[in-house]
Amino acid sequence: MRKKLYITIAVLVIAAALLLFLRQFSSARSFQAFGTIVDRVETSRKIVALTFDDGPTPEVTRPLLDLLEKEQVRATFFVTGAELEKQMNLGIRIAAMGHELGNHSYSHTRMIFVTPSFVQSEIERTDALIREAGYQNPIHFRPPYGKKLFVLPYYLSQNGRTTVTWDIEPDSNTRATAGDIAREAVEQTRPGSIILLHVMYANRVESFKAVGKITNDLKANGYEFVTVSELMSAAQ
């Protein structure tokens, strides 16, 4: 009986350790099992990529594009296919304004325990919609919630695709004020940084309010805003 108890405990400990490892591995921003992943670019130039996840949504994307145009800032939008399909006019406007469109999956499902056919569908459906919006440059992929294990990276690597994460996420605390978000973004930015903001929904109003201060303060510090693709091309 005692031997069986020890074996059971050992199995449970190993299972718990494996689950913890997989959780940390799936969330790693700078490492994945296959292919290329970029969370920041090594460069001496004071350039930074401002990226927005999710959407597009009419209540936020329109005023955000107006703000970026006013500030003369180009950004990268990692959109979901389901929302782009409903708001194609906004996708067209994003592309026409010179911003970058990236793939954030079709349904915003965690890409962990998924099948190859599911991954293919999520990516290819969204790619087709991004092309429909008029975007012609390479399409990079950002995993929903930053989660990936083996199937997703393998598919991306086999199709010459880059996984793009981030090194700065100033609005990860949903209770942070606009001032807190802007302060964290500006303090943590260094040459080659990729900033992630979630602004597309009503509960993210503080993130939206922080955008103008982030762009103004970083420009005052000598930074230039570029798209993710431009940032990657500046790698040293």
Side-chain angles (χ1 to χ4, degrees):
M1 289 291 294
R2 183 172 295 181
K3 183 178 180 180
K4 289 182 178 180
L5 177 61
Y6 289 157
I7 292 174
T8 301
I9 292 173
V11 169
L12 291 174
V13 169
I14 293 171
L18 179 59
L19 287 174
L20 179 61
F21 168 77
L22 288 176
R23 180 180 180 183
Q24 293 177 331
F25 183 79
S26 71
S27 301
R29 295 181 184 175
S30 57
F31 179 81
Q32 62 184 12
F34 306 97
T36 302
I37 184 170
V38 175
D39 68 323
R40 178 183 165 270
V41 166
E42 288 293 338
T43 178
S44 58
R45 294 174 55 193
K46 296 188 77 171
I47 52 177
V48 59
L50 184 61
T51 69
F52 301 99
D53 278 9
D54 311 323
T57 58
E59 62 272 19
V60 175
T61 306
R62 288 193 184 98
L64 176 61
L65 289 172
D66 291 341
L67 174 62
L68 295 175
E69 184 176 31
K70 176 183 176 183
E71 298 296 331
Q72 296 185 319
V73 166
R74 287 185 303 123
T76 300
F77 290 75
F78 285 95
V79 296
T80 61
E83 290 180 294
L84 178 59
E85 194 167 32
K86 292 185 289 187
Q87 304 294 337
M88 182 56 67
N89 61 319
L90 292 176
I92 292 170
R93 185 181 174 195
I94 290 170
M97 291 179 66
H99 300 294
E100 182 167 0
L101 279 169
N103 189 323
H104 199 40
S105 82
Y106 185 85
S107 63
H108 204 266
T109 300
R110 283 178 172 81
M111 298 282 201
I112 303 179
F113 302 110
V114 290
T115 64
S117 61
F118 178 81
V119 169
Q120 180 179 14
S121 174
E122 288 283 307
I123 293 176
E124 299 304 330
R125 289 174 72 187
T126 305
D127 275 0
L129 291 163
I130 289 173
R131 294 304 187 204
E132 186 180 333
Y135 185 74
Q136 298 300 318
N137 294 323
I139 303 173
H140 305 306
F141 187 83
R142 175 171 283 168
Y145 309 100
K147 301 288 188 180
K148 66 268 178 300
L149 272 177
F150 304 109
V151 176
L152 171 63
Y154 182 76
Y155 179 86
L156 293 171
S157 70
Q158 292 299 297
N159 289 274
R161 304 289 291 274
T162 299
T163 303
V164 175
T165 56
W166 60 90
D167 65 322
I168 300 173
E169 186 183 6
D171 62 358
S172 58
N173 178 2
T174 56
R175 296 182 179 180
T177 66
D180 295 332
I181 294 168
R183 189 179 312 108
E184 182 176 335
V186 173
E187 289 177 354
Q188 293 186 6
T189 293
R190 50 186 174 149
S193 281
I194 299 176
I195 302 172
L196 164 60
L197 288 172
H198 305 85
V199 303
M200 293 297 173
Y201 307 114
N203 64 339
R204 291 291 193 163
V205 63
E206 293 299 312
S207 294
F208 178 80
K209 287 162 60 176
V211 174
K213 184 163 179 57
I214 291 171
T215 57
N216 285 328
D217 287 358
L218 285 178
K219 284 193 292 185
N221 289 345
Y223 279 92
E224 175 188 356
F225 288 89
V226 297
T227 65
V228 164
S229 289
E230 291 170 333
L231 189 72
M232 289 166 56
S233 69
Q236 295 178 334

